Amino acid sequence: MSNLVILPILLPFIVGSFLILFAKHHGIQRFLTAITMVGLLLFSFYLATLVYQEGIYTLQLGNWPAPFGIVLVADMFATMMIILSSIVGVACLFFAFQTISSERERYYFYPFYLFLIAGVNGAFLTGDLFNLFVFFEVMLIASYALIVLGGTKYQLRESFKYVVINVFASILFIVGVAYLYSVTGTLNFADLAIRVAELEQQGVLNVIAILFLVVFGMKGALFPLYFWLPRSYYGPPAAIAALFGGLLTKVGIYAIIRTFTLIFNHDPSFTHTIILALAGFTMFFGVLGAVSQFDFKRILSYHIISQVGYMVMGLGIFTPLALAGAIYYIAHHIIVKAALFLFAGATEKITGTTELKKMGGLLKTHPWLAWLFFISAISLAGIPPLSGFFSKFALILAGFEEGRYVIVTVALIVGLLTLFSMMKIFIYAFWGEQKHTEQQAKMPIGKLLLPIAPLVVLTIVLGFGAEPIFQYSLQVADELLNPSVYIESVLKE
């Protein structure tokens, strides 16, 4: 049964490679990609159920025992993230079917899409640091291709910045890997956890920990390393922007949570205090950027930054309740942020613009679009009884319990500013005087709403089903805060 662990990586990679042979047959590419992603979604639920019922699954490739060989590990956190990546991957793919031009399809859009999913899933499942780097590169190379498809001047300029910052982060990643290996003699996560606990060189370990925090902070858009994100995510088509906004930064956050609960947990008074401070600055400066913008997609891009701060806030507080809140928040944000970017794409399809001052009256002409957006918007802002409220509530409660009043205050202020900026979108784009033509007003968008509606339903379900979902998040948090379970599963004889 452990062989199942490799399927979320192998399936999209093999199908993506096969689709390269059918570059001119868009119908075949669409069909096979859709079948692959739906199958991956169903399988991800099956794998998560097995792990929940039977415990952590490990696969030692080539029968090389850990820590000497490559190992894949499916624990509750990893399988939860694979479910989320599959959900967003399916929604964005079916939205792309309605919006991606044949010109983009011709240049291997679907193979690169599947390679991106393979890289993301590999990052979630890998059990060693070097292969985390490898899967990051698979994911990033695919994202480089997807972000430039279309080849507009703006896209090429901003994608160049995206490539440069990620190449620099990758160089630092390799430096960190070499540094850590020279100190510990291993790169296996479980083995690293044991070696780090035995080392007395706290100062050296803290330097390495901060180096990895910088690397993953660049990829996850933490303060002050988020400057590349808003403009880079503005250029691509809505389906790709939604996939990136909902998923890619969370891979960096996943890596931070994984390494700072399993490996770099030797001096939390130092490392996690820094993480908590970064969380506060990330939330505050991200939301200020959102408040200052008057473009639909730019506001959403800045909100990616501010919302990432809530996730690392839970890690910085470093209690079971706080970490459970962070995990719940990741699930909420991946779903809602992807939906919001797809809404931006749908409104742009109707009006031809994302500038709020050139929009208006969509509530009258496209009421379903308006009200579904409204639900997602207030969920992002944390209004009960939707998923954003319960995930933030857990973080706020954990902050009060630990006496972290400054970060709690920042989180509450950021929540209010988030509500303000999302209502600004609703008032300008959906409320008020109609600014689009009658021909645009009659444009049918039912097919565009079909892949978005399940995401909106999910944020409602995550809210109304908060108790069982939060219990699951608590179990994930307990597993993360008790590394011995992970270590024993990987290093068992």
Side-chain angles (χ1 to χ4, degrees):
M1 294 293 286
S2 62
N3 289 329
L4 295 174
V5 175
I6 200 172
L7 277 181
I9 306 168
L10 207 57
L11 182 62
F13 186 81
I14 289 175
V15 176
S17 301
F18 181 71
L19 289 181
I20 293 174
L21 304 175
F22 296 92
K24 296 181 180 179
H25 299 84
H26 300 164
I28 294 175
Q29 289 202 355
R30 288 184 175 201
F31 176 75
L32 290 179
T33 307
I35 291 295
T36 302
M37 288 305 305
V38 172
L40 187 60
L41 175 60
L42 297 174
F43 174 75
S44 64
F45 277 102
Y46 175 65
L47 181 61
T49 303
L50 289 178
V51 170
Y52 181 76
Q53 293 175 344
E54 301 177 14
I56 297 174
Y57 273 48
T58 61
L59 175 62
Q60 297 173 347
L61 298 179
N63 286 328
W64 283 84
F68 307 107
I70 296 173
V71 61
L72 300 178
V73 185
D75 63 354
M76 290 177 66
F77 190 28
T79 52
M80 183 197 84
M81 295 301 291
I82 289 171
I83 288 174
L84 293 169
S85 76
S86 300
I87 290 171
V88 171
V90 169
C92 294
L93 178 66
F94 281 89
F95 190 87
F97 288 161
Q98 308 298 324
T99 56
I100 291 292
S101 65
S102 59
E103 186 70 20
R104 288 189 170 98
E105 288 181 314
R106 186 183 307 166
Y107 292 104
Y108 307 102
F109 172 79
Y110 297 110
F112 281 119
Y113 193 96
L114 291 174
F115 292 153
L116 180 80
I117 297 296
V120 168
N121 288 345
F124 294 149
L125 289 170
T126 186
D128 72 88
L129 203 53
F130 183 77
N131 283 294
L132 179 62
F133 168 77
V134 171
F135 285 119
F136 261 98
E137 293 310 298
V138 171
M139 175 186 76
L140 290 171
I141 290 169
S143 72
Y144 299 155
L146 291 173
I147 207 170
V148 300
L149 280 178
T152 66
K153 183 178 179 180
Y154 182 91
Q155 276 182 276
L156 293 174
R157 184 177 70 247
E158 296 307 321
S159 63
F160 177 74
K161 299 175 186 176
Y162 176 80
V163 170
V164 168
I165 192 66
N166 279 289
V167 167
F168 180 68
S170 297
I171 293 170
L172 286 182
F173 200 160
I174 284 292
V175 171
V177 166
Y179 201 178
L180 187 58
Y181 185 79
S182 70
V183 172
T184 63
T186 185
L187 292 175
N188 180 276
F189 284 158
D191 203 31
L192 275 170
I194 294 174
R195 301 282 183 94
V196 166
E198 294 172 348
L199 286 173
E200 297 180 357
Q201 304 176 54
Q202 298 291 316
V204 172
L205 287 173
N206 284 341
V207 170
I208 298 172
I210 297 305
L211 179 58
F212 278 104
L213 183 59
V214 170
V215 170
F216 298 139
M218 282 187 185
K219 298 180 184 294
L222 286 181
F223 173 87
L225 307 168
Y226 60 76
F227 56 87
W228 57 270
L229 187 146
R231 295 179 68 86
S232 296
Y233 283 17
Y234 178 79
I240 298 305
L243 187 67
F244 285 12
L247 197 55
L248 286 201
T249 50
K250 311 315 174 296
V251 181
I253 300 305
Y254 170 88
I256 292 174
I257 293 175
R258 176 68 74 190
T259 53
F260 280 85
T261 55
L262 183 61
I263 302 170
F264 302 118
N265 55 8
H266 57 283
D267 189 10
S269 62
F270 174 75
T271 54
H272 291 64
T273 300
I274 292 175
I275 289 171
L276 194 62
L278 291 177
F281 285 119
T282 303
M283 282 190 283
F284 186 69
F285 285 103
V287 82
L288 284 186
V291 168
S292 67
Q293 297 296 316
F294 277 87
D295 184 278
F296 202 147
K297 288 174 72 174
R298 290 192 196 278
I299 291 174
L300 297 181
S301 296
Y302 275 102
H303 273 311
I304 295 172
I305 299 164
S306 69
Q307 304 300 306
V308 159
Y310 285 99
M311 302 169 203
V312 291
M313 172 186 169
L315 178 62
I317 296 173
F318 207 52
T319 63
L321 178 60
L323 200 55
I327 290 161
Y328 196 154
Y329 200 90
I330 289 172
H332 146 76
H333 188 262
I334 287 175
I335 291 167
V336 171
K337 182 56 67 176
L340 288 170
F341 267 102
L342 295 180
F343 280 123
T347 56
E348 186 178 13
K349 186 83 171 177
I350 297 167
T351 63
T353 183
T354 57
E355 294 182 40
L356 295 181
K357 293 183 179 179
K358 296 181 180 179
M359 302 166 73
L362 284 168
L363 178 62
K364 179 181 178 182
T365 60
H366 297 84
W368 278 102
L369 174 67
W371 291 119
L372 287 174
F373 167 81
F374 181 79
I375 293 170
S376 302
I378 62 173
S379 179
L380 186 74
I383 303 299
L386 301 170
S387 58
F389 169 77
F390 292 103
S391 52
K392 285 183 182 178
F393 179 75
L395 291 168
I396 299 298
L397 185 60
F400 276 125
E401 286 181 354
E402 295 300 307
R404 306 285 190 171
Y405 301 118
V406 174
I407 193 70
V408 167
T409 303
V410 171
L412 291 172
I413 292 171
V414 169
L416 289 174
L417 292 176
T418 302
L419 179 62
F420 169 78
S421 57
M422 296 311 293
M423 288 303 99
K424 180 168 67 176
I425 294 176
F426 188 76
I427 291 168
Y428 273 91
F430 297 96
W431 205 263
E433 180 184 350
Q434 178 181 327
K435 294 183 180 179
H436 48 284
T437 65
E438 287 302 319
Q439 184 177 0
Q440 290 172 321
K442 295 176 182 178
M443 181 182 294
I445 59 163
K447 291 183 178 179
L448 293 179
L449 291 180
L450 279 176
I452 311 176
L455 299 177
V456 180
V457 170
L458 275 174
T459 190
I460 298 172
V461 170
L462 285 173
F464 282 93
E467 184 176 354
I469 293 165
F470 192 75
Q471 289 300 319
Y472 183 86
S473 299
L474 276 173
Q475 288 181 265
V476 175
D478 288 338
E479 191 174 82
L480 288 171
L481 292 173
N482 184 18
S484 62
V485 177
Y486 184 99
I487 295 167
E488 290 169 7
S489 299
V490 174
L491 301 180
K492 60 187 176 183
E493 296 297 331

